[in-house]
Amino acid sequence: MIKNISTCLTLIILVLVSASSANATSKPDLNYYFGTQAPFDDTLTFDPDVPTPESVLGYQVGEWHVRPEQIAEYMYALAASSKRVWVEEIGRSWEQRPLLLVSFSSKGNIAKLPAIQQQQVNIKQRSKQAPAVVWMGYSVHGNEASGSNAAVLLAYYLAAAQGQQVQQFLDDTVVLLDPMINPDGLARFASWVNSRKSAQLISDSNDIEHNEVWPQGRTNHYWFDLNRDWLLAQHPESRARLEQFHQWKPLVLTDFHEMGTNSSYFFQPGVPSRQNPITPQKNFDLTAKIAEYHGKALDTIGSSYYSKEGFDDFYYGKGSTYPDVNGSIGILFEQASARGHAQDSVNGVLTFPFAVRNQLTASFSTLKAVHEQKAALQAYQKEFYSSAEELADDHKIKAYVYDAAGDKTKLREFNKLLAQHKIEFHALARDLNVDGKQFKKSNAYIVPTQQPQFRLIRSFFETQTSFKDNTFYDVSSWTLALSFNLNFSGLDSGDFSSRMLGKPGDQEKQQPVFVLDEKTIALTIDWHDFNAATLTTRLMKAGVRLKVATKSSRMKTLSGEQTIAPGSVILPLGIQDIAREELAYLIGDSNKDLSVAVQQITSGLATQGIDLGSPSIKSLIQPKPLLVIGSGVSSYDAGEVWHLLDQRLEIPLVKITQSQLSSIPLHDYTHIILVNGRYGFSDKTNQKIEDWIDQGGQLVVNRTAGRWLAKQSWSPIEKVDDEEIITSDMSYAERDDYLSEKVIGGAIFNTRVDVTHPLGFGLTDENLPVFRRGTDVYRSKQNPFSTISRYTDSPLISGYASKENQEKIAGTPAIVAVRKGRGGVIYYANNMNFRAFWWGTSKLFSNSLYFPYAYYSSYK
């Protein structure tokens, strides 16, 4: 019996606190997580032979942040103890952590998983009695860890929960659990918060536990946002996941995230006006129907939420939107983040266990929705693919034909991307001329639109500049044919014939064994191929002396007279320290996986243009670049440079902070790279950089780093300032629309490049699509030859940019390059390596690393 009112009130307050959020000093238990929201049986019991998370981890979920290796250990422990579980390693991350896909279903279904998978993929013939397949994905952003921690609890429930309704659910469903989409980022974040956790939890947001250092745990090893890579597939995590996605074709795929600490909980459908118009309306309707289940479940535990604001389904490269263009329902969840174990918020102390419980609750409501809406979801998926064929029939474009202007590497990578997304393509069966563009059957391909992936094909090739809603959560355009800088055309019914379809898939021939002819005096490497840079790096590392032709020439080769284009790398045999036979083996081995065209020159006397000993053939210097990283620098942009140099160009990249730059000697380095960011060097360091350039260094500056560059007295650029004058009053309700007009969140613009300049070597067309973000505009100082590339007069190709911003950018410099002393300065107005899929502009960025500084016009 309670003795007094004061004691009674104290007990009530304690009960209420524990009901809303496991408080900072209490230890959560399984009843806290499962007590009120398990989706099926009211009376919940668990198989005692199946290990609890605590018995394997050594602590209860939510008490510490679970590490990737612990998640893997627990999944294998479940598989060893339960016939409902099957664990498959589908790949490895960059840091060689296993990527797991864990299947949960009834014992009978697990025993015949391959047959169920085949039935699921064969959508047209799929029986209504086939199990529903749902994919549950967690924590693509490593520092949004409540998702992966909730996945551990969900796995225990699916493996161990007992009851008639649970069994019925498992008989009817296959749950594919992707418990850690980004294990490298998750490991980075778990290490940070666990190593800084106090026994007395610190909820003050100023505490170091809640303030990760650069680059934080959001991204993968190369600091890429994997939630933007589903469509682009540039990383092993994404490629492994996509392969499994298309082998299963799930009805629903979930994507669990976190957002700001002062938020609540979000689930889709999101902003109705910001859905991609290619996505069927039925997708939005089903997402809204499933949202009713989430709302009911979260109401049960007293959690607040919202569902139609803030987030959209426009960009198809995210985990919650890629399914939408592939016949599935993608659903985004966003939980307010504790960014540690407990943090103060406007709603009180937000604890990690509370965040985990919300994610688990939404996981359960998803499973219940899939179970009860199975028939509607299966019918929608069938209709999605059958209607694709009907839409293709009605669509003007019947096929897309494309080539890469001699860049076999770029063409091969684009074809790999098509294959990854199960898009059918063929070799071109005959030469073709479309709208003045010539396509040769020897190096062109064709994609017919009459196929199940019709909608996704449109996303790859089409452009769009008009939108129902001008506010975008991510980029407004991503046309991949433009990002690869392909030569492509759409074919209508008058142009297209099925007889144009040659052999399916990529038919590239195997690279022949390299044999060095006795008549050969030099080799030339065709710079049109992206991999020419990689081959050049490999040969320079091996001590081969290389040169580059800066002017065109025609020379005698084993294949007859050939044009040696500017940018061609020359390997004169007579100046090498390596024996001829050893050199032949080296070239063959180095080029085996690259397949770059190498011609054997038999005479140094040109039949036209410069001779082999011309002063216009310059020596190459092996690049030794520095990349400035750390606080103030965009980790995304920095990671993209790191990935390009490390993975594609195979150039060792030294990464230093701004403070290190001021203290280390620079004379050993050929390049300093400053990407998008804020730079605050001291006057002494600024002078140090200028002296290094004068002595032969090359400074490469990107995007907003131009603000720092423009302030230097020796800068070749100056920033254009425009002060806006608001002449009319606007209501507060118009604020969002007004602000959206002022930004360029991500669109594709056209530029014209001087292809005679070394930065343009390897390009055949002066028109180059670039990815544009931000509204900074610069002009070059008085020098007629310093602007290497300009935006065209009507620059917008695809995506959203206001008319005001288009006019502001039109005609302004996109690339400025000058000589200073014995060195040079290059400014790129755009991110030339955006998300690693802008192969077209990466070509120019790589040119800045290889070619001598002497080509850049003088600047005083």
Side-chain angles (χ1 to χ4, degrees):
M1 180 180 293
I2 298 173
K3 298 293 185 182
N4 57 56
I5 294 176
S6 175
T7 303
C8 180
L9 289 174
T10 300
L11 289 173
I12 290 172
I13 291 170
L14 288 173
V15 169
L16 288 175
V17 168
S18 65
S20 62
S21 171
N23 71 33
T25 59
S26 68
K27 174 182 174 180
D29 58 20
L30 289 181
N31 187 60
Y32 174 73
Y33 292 120
F34 296 126
T36 57
Q37 66 270 23
F40 302 111
D41 288 276
D42 294 333
T43 304
L44 189 61
T45 60
F46 292 94
D47 183 346
D49 293 330
V50 176
T52 64
E54 187 173 11
S55 69
V56 175
L57 302 177
Y59 57 87
Q60 186 56 268
V61 173
E63 193 177 0
W64 295 87
H65 280 247
V66 66
R67 304 188 305 276
E69 66 273 16
Q70 292 177 307
I71 293 176
E73 180 186 12
Y74 186 63
M75 296 303 156
Y76 282 111
L78 290 179
S81 62
S82 173
K83 300 296 185 183
R84 298 178 179 178
V85 187
W86 180 261
V87 180
E88 182 179 1
E89 181 179 313
I90 60 173
R92 292 263 169 162
S93 70
W94 283 119
E95 295 178 14
Q96 296 305 302
R97 290 187 172 89
L99 304 168
L100 302 182
L101 189 64
V102 189
S103 302
F104 295 87
S105 193
S106 65
K107 176 181 176 181
N109 286 340
I110 291 294
K112 56 180 182 181
L113 269 184
I116 293 174
Q117 182 185 65
Q118 185 58 42
Q119 190 177 23
Q120 178 66 15
V121 174
N122 193 3
I123 294 171
K124 287 184 177 180
Q125 280 75 45
R126 185 176 60 203
S127 166
K128 292 181 180 179
Q129 284 69 47
V133 176
V134 54
W135 183 302
M136 308 293 287
Y138 297 88
S139 298
V140 67
H141 297 142
N143 60 3
E144 298 175 6
S146 59
S148 284
N149 283 262
V152 173
L153 292 164
L154 181 63
Y156 174 63
Y157 177 90
L158 294 172
Q162 302 296 299
Q164 183 178 351
Q165 293 179 45
V166 172
Q167 188 59 49
Q168 184 62 56
F169 166 76
L170 293 170
D171 287 339
D172 293 344
T173 314
V174 174
V175 179
L176 304 174
L177 188 70
D178 190 355
M180 44 179 175
I181 300 175
N182 176 13
D184 295 350
L186 185 69
R188 197 182 312 137
F189 180 66
S191 175
W192 177 271
V193 294
N194 285 342
S195 63
R196 288 156 180 81
K197 178 188 176 184
S198 301
Q200 308 304 312
L201 297 188
I202 308 299
S203 61
D204 188 329
S205 61
N206 293 314
D207 187 73
I208 191 170
E209 179 185 352
H210 307 300
N211 294 279
E212 294 174 88
V213 294
W214 194 99
Q216 304 184 338
R218 177 183 178 88
T219 51
N220 77 341
H221 174 76
Y222 283 105
W223 310 329
F224 278 70
D225 185 338
L226 289 177
N227 194 43
R228 306 299 187 266
D229 196 48
W230 281 77
L231 189 70
L232 316 177
Q234 299 299 304
H235 297 273
E237 299 93 335
S238 305
R239 291 192 288 268
R241 193 158 288 111
L242 283 171
E243 186 64 28
Q244 292 298 314
F245 174 88
H246 285 290
Q247 287 182 20
W248 278 105
K249 296 288 187 188
L251 299 177
V252 171
L253 183 146
T254 62
D255 189 20
F256 286 86
H257 290 251
E258 290 181 359
M259 53 183 170
T261 303
N262 291 324
S263 301
S264 57
Y265 196 86
F266 170 83
F267 50 83
Q268 287 179 311
V271 181
S273 62
R274 299 180 195 167
Q275 309 302 305
N276 195 303
I278 295 176
T279 305
Q281 177 63 33
K282 185 65 174 176
N283 179 291
F284 184 85
D285 295 340
L286 283 169
T287 306
K289 181 64 178 177
I290 294 171
E292 296 175 12
Y293 289 80
H294 306 319
K296 183 177 180 181
L298 291 166
D299 284 341
T300 300
I301 63 170
S303 291
S304 58
Y305 53 84
Y306 62 104
S307 65
K308 301 179 185 67
E309 302 169 77
F311 298 91
D312 63 49
D313 256 359
F314 187 79
Y315 171 50
Y316 281 140
K318 296 185 294 184
S320 60
T321 47
Y322 181 79
D324 294 343
V325 77
N326 284 280
S328 302
I329 306 293
I331 304 178
L332 170 69
F333 299 94
E334 295 272 358
Q335 162 63 42
S337 179
R339 279 297 190 273
H341 295 86
Q343 188 170 171
D344 295 333
S345 79
V346 296
N347 300 310
V349 177
L350 172 61
T351 69
F352 187 50
F354 178 76
V356 171
R357 186 173 70 155
N358 276 348
Q359 302 281 43
L360 181 63
T361 300
S363 300
F364 283 143
S365 57
T366 300
L367 298 183
K368 186 171 184 179
V370 170
H371 190 234
E372 295 184 0
Q373 299 297 322
K374 171 184 169 182
L377 292 167
Q378 287 180 331
Y380 166 73
Q381 194 171 65
K382 281 189 176 183
E383 170 63 21
F384 179 91
Y385 284 107
S386 62
S387 65
E389 298 176 9
E390 297 170 6
L391 290 170
D393 276 339
D394 295 335
H395 198 61
K396 178 182 178 181
I397 301 300
K398 302 304 178 185
Y400 288 96
V401 61
Y402 60 95
D403 64 34
D407 190 337
K408 291 183 178 179
T409 297
K410 210 163 54 175
L411 191 62
R412 186 166 57 245
E413 290 297 327
F414 186 77
N415 286 344
K416 282 181 184 177
L417 202 54
L418 294 178
Q420 182 86 66
H421 295 293
K422 309 306 176 187
I423 294 174
E424 173 192 335
F425 63 98
H426 298 255
L428 187 63
R430 60 179 174 84
D431 292 350
L432 195 61
N433 191 318
V434 185
D435 299 329
K437 296 180 181 179
Q438 300 228 342
F439 297 93
K440 299 291 185 181
K441 66 179 183 179
S442 57
N443 56 19
Y445 288 84
I446 185 168
V447 176
T449 56
Q450 183 66 48
Q451 56 175 297
Q453 291 293 64
F454 166 70
R455 293 180 177 90
L456 193 55
I457 291 168
R458 291 184 60 188
S459 178
F460 268 55
F461 289 95
E462 288 185 357
T463 61
Q464 181 181 359
T465 56
S466 179
F467 303 91
K468 182 178 179 181
D469 189 320
N470 294 332
T471 303
F472 301 90
Y473 183 74
D474 198 74
V475 298
S476 60
S477 184
W478 56 89
T479 309
L480 275 87
L482 293 174
S483 72
F484 277 73
N485 193 26
L486 298 181
N487 177 41
F488 70 101
S489 288
L491 307 180
D492 60 22
S493 56
D495 297 323
F496 175 69
S497 166
S498 60
R499 291 190 297 274
M500 296 175 180
L501 304 180
K503 292 181 179 180
D506 197 329
Q507 304 298 318
E508 186 179 12
K509 296 178 181 178
Q510 187 174 358
Q511 179 78 0
V513 175
F514 179 78
V515 178
L516 187 60
D517 192 274
E518 61 181 12
K519 299 188 293 294
T520 299
I521 65 167
L523 304 175
T524 177
I525 300 170
D526 183 8
W527 198 256
H528 289 100
D529 195 306
F530 195 96
N531 273 348
T534 311
L535 179 57
T536 298
T537 301
R538 291 179 181 181
L539 295 176
M540 285 195 290
K541 284 180 179 179
V544 179
R545 292 190 177 95
L546 298 175
K547 295 177 178 288
V548 60
T550 66
K551 296 179 180 179
S552 182
S553 177
R554 279 188 69 81
M555 291 188 174
K556 295 177 182 178
T557 74
L558 291 181
S559 305
E561 282 193 18
Q562 298 289 331
T563 297
I564 310 301
S568 298
V569 173
I570 308 295
L571 193 164
L573 297 180
I575 65 171
Q576 306 301 326
D577 295 331
I578 303 172
R580 191 180 180 97
E581 183 178 353
E582 183 183 346
L583 189 61
Y585 284 121
L586 174 63
I587 294 166
D589 287 346
S590 299
N591 197 30
K592 187 184 300 181
D593 61 324
L594 301 177
S595 302
V596 177
V598 177
Q599 294 282 355
Q600 301 191 42
I601 299 173
T602 57
S603 173
L605 185 64
T607 60
Q608 183 179 338
I610 61 174
D611 297 322
L612 200 58
S614 168
S616 295
I617 295 181
K618 308 283 188 178
S619 295
L620 289 182
I621 301 171
Q622 186 171 344
K624 188 177 180 182
L626 284 174
L627 172 66
V628 177
I629 64 168
S631 180
V633 178
S634 166
S635 59
Y636 295 144
D637 292 50
E640 287 153 3
V641 171
W642 180 22
H643 176 266
L644 172 71
L645 271 64
D646 197 38
Q647 288 293 325
R648 293 182 178 161
L649 304 181
E650 299 181 4
I651 297 175
L653 177 65
V654 178
K655 301 177 290 298
I656 62 169
T657 63
Q658 295 192 45
S659 61
Q660 283 179 283
L661 184 65
S662 65
S663 59
I664 66 172
L666 301 178
H667 58 269
D668 285 339
Y669 301 99
T670 60
H671 296 72
I672 295 175
I673 303 171
L674 304 180
V675 300
N676 185 44
R678 302 184 308 276
Y679 297 89
F681 301 125
S682 66
D683 291 343
K684 183 178 180 181
T685 302
N686 288 338
Q687 185 62 53
K688 180 180 179 180
I689 294 171
E690 182 182 4
D691 293 344
W692 169 81
I693 297 170
D694 287 335
Q695 293 162 14
Q698 184 158 310
L699 180 67
V700 181
V701 179
N702 171 277
R703 289 190 65 204
T704 60
R707 298 176 185 178
W708 167 83
L709 179 61
K711 294 176 182 177
Q712 309 311 309
S713 61
W714 44 267
S715 173
I717 62 169
E718 55 187 5
K719 192 173 184 299
V720 177
D721 294 320
D722 57 333
E723 294 184 5
E724 180 185 19
I725 301 174
I726 300 175
T727 57
S728 60
D729 294 330
M730 287 180 287
S731 68
Y732 184 78
E734 296 174 290
R735 177 176 177 271
D736 288 347
D737 290 338
Y738 169 77
L739 292 176
S740 71
E741 293 280 320
K742 303 302 169 188
V743 302
I744 301 176
I748 301 174
F749 282 66
N750 193 26
T751 63
R752 285 202 174 91
V753 180
D754 179 0
V755 296
T756 69
H757 191 278
L759 289 181
F761 284 172
L763 299 183
T764 57
D765 188 342
E766 65 175 9
N767 288 288
L768 179 68
V770 300
F771 180 81
R772 171 85 193 193
R773 259 187 171 167
T775 58
D776 278 8
V777 171
Y778 297 84
R779 54 175 165 247
S780 58
K781 293 180 179 177
Q782 205 57 258
N783 184 343
F785 306 110
S786 64
T787 299
I788 312 308
S789 172
R790 286 186 184 275
Y791 293 97
T792 58
D793 291 338
S794 299
L796 183 64
I797 301 176
S798 187
Y800 176 73
S802 68
K803 184 178 179 180
E804 176 188 355
N805 279 326
Q806 293 179 53
E807 293 173 349
K808 175 181 173 182
I809 292 167
T812 63
I815 304 173
V816 175
V818 298
R819 180 180 177 183
K820 175 173 164 48
R822 299 205 309 269
V825 180
I826 301 172
Y827 174 67
Y828 292 108
N830 306 293
N831 180 356
M832 308 299 278
N833 309 300
F834 183 65
R835 292 181 183 169
F837 79 108
W838 273 86
W839 286 77
T841 51
S842 285
K843 180 77 172 181
L844 278 77
F845 189 89
S846 68
N847 284 354
S848 66
L849 300 171
Y850 288 93
F851 298 133
Y853 323 129
Y855 306 154
Y856 301 103
S857 65
S858 297
Y859 177 75
K860 297 180 181 178

